[in-house]
Amino acid sequence: QLSTPVRLLPPRTAAKMGDEESDYKISYYDKETGELGEPGVWVSEPGKAKVEYASGDSYDGEFNDEKMKHGQGIYTWMGEENDDGERAVKATYTGSYADGKRCGVGKMTFPNGDVYEGEWKDNKMNGEGLYKYKKGDIFSGTYVDGLKHGENGTYEYGEDQSRLTGTWEKGNFLSGNWEFEGAGSYSGEFKGGKPAGKGKFTFVNGVAQEGEYAVPVAAEEDEEPPEGEPTWKGNPVYTSVS
């Protein structure tokens, strides 16, 4: 029988980042000179301004007539003060806003070092994008409400260069191809981050084997099924000799 390493699928993306605070000061850029004016304590008009929040966070960008972030902007989140009273940058967003929310195309660097660049809607990753995990993994595909969702999404593992390409639903890989660097591929269905059900291995020498990943079953109908990983049960493979 043939087998393949069983691994968990990629982790969820980094935590959501809010960027609204009530205590701040704002300085508008002069439309002619581009210089910052005297700071005020509320958003008084549309235009480009720099906002500094009590937490140390800042926003440098445009506001609309409704006094909300709208257009291009840069939001910077700062970490907690260290023993010297200094703060380091925790996260950044550079891109488009609409009516106060991240919307359009933008780039986010998360606190854990992950980076997403692509489309946004209502402060969530939504649309086509590229997500680079700090550990070296990369996902390229479609997001809906912050989760991988849609067809033809590709996740590449940085450690061994294997790739998952296929259909995603609410962050989970449902079906498609799992390509192993220099060792062929597996195509079939997935469940809970692991191959499950019917599938097929195709090896670099052209030999293919169809079969099924079967979960352990209980010996008696009224017993709980035993714990354990699904087992590959492959159909016979015949090789012709000329």
Side-chain angles (χ1 to χ4, degrees):
Q1 287 188 344
L2 304 170
S3 62
T4 183
V6 177
R7 69 195 302 172
L8 294 177
L9 284 187
R12 300 285 182 175
T13 50
K16 299 176 183 177
M17 299 293 296
D19 57 1
E20 293 296 336
E21 294 189 51
S22 58
D23 190 8
Y24 62 86
K25 62 180 180 178
I26 178 170
S27 303
Y28 281 89
Y29 287 94
D30 187 280
K31 295 179 181 179
E32 295 183 359
T33 66
E35 296 180 356
L36 281 173
E38 292 298 318
V41 293
W42 65 82
V43 180
S44 59
E45 60 182 285
K48 186 177 181 182
K50 183 174 183 179
V51 183
E52 295 177 307
Y53 299 96
S55 66
D57 298 351
S58 65
Y59 171 74
D60 195 325
E62 299 171 301
F63 289 87
N64 62 11
D65 291 331
E66 302 300 323
K67 304 177 182 179
M68 293 187 290
K69 302 182 189 73
H70 193 92
Q72 295 300 303
I74 301 172
Y75 197 101
T76 303
W77 290 265
M78 302 299 291
E80 299 294 331
E81 289 187 356
N82 59 21
D83 294 338
D84 297 325
E86 298 176 344
R87 288 189 172 104
V89 173
K90 182 172 68 173
T92 60
Y93 172 79
T94 302
S96 179
Y97 282 85
D99 295 327
K101 297 180 179 180
R102 296 187 292 277
C103 189
V105 177
K107 179 180 179 180
M108 171 76 86
T109 300
F110 293 93
N112 64 358
D114 294 352
V115 178
Y116 171 80
E117 188 166 5
E119 296 177 301
W120 295 78
K121 182 180 179 182
D122 295 334
N123 281 342
K124 297 178 181 179
M125 299 176 291
N126 201 94
E128 293 294 320
L130 181 71
Y131 195 106
K132 296 182 179 180
Y133 293 82
K134 183 179 180 180
K135 63 181 181 179
D137 297 358
I138 298 174
F139 176 78
S140 175
T142 304
Y143 284 85
V144 174
D145 290 333
L147 298 175
K148 304 175 186 70
H149 192 97
E151 299 180 354
N152 300 319
T154 298
Y155 190 102
E156 181 174 324
Y157 291 92
E159 183 179 359
D160 59 15
Q161 304 302 303
S162 66
R163 290 178 297 177
L164 291 164
T165 302
T167 301
W168 299 75
E169 184 177 277
K170 296 181 179 179
N172 297 307
F173 189 63
L174 296 186
S175 63
N177 295 323
W178 189 2
E179 299 178 35
F180 311 104
E181 183 71 14
S185 64
Y186 171 81
S187 61
E189 298 178 351
F190 288 72
K191 184 177 181 181
K194 303 172 184 178
K198 295 182 179 180
K200 181 175 73 172
F201 281 99
T202 302
F203 301 95
V204 290
N205 61 3
V207 174
Q209 183 186 44
E210 296 183 352
E212 179 179 7
Y213 269 101
V215 297
V217 296
E220 302 292 340
E221 292 184 2
D222 57 347
E223 291 182 358
E224 291 290 331
E227 296 182 359
E229 301 290 351
T231 302
W232 174 252
K233 296 182 179 180
N235 298 334
V237 176
Y238 299 97
T239 303
S240 59
V241 179
S242 57

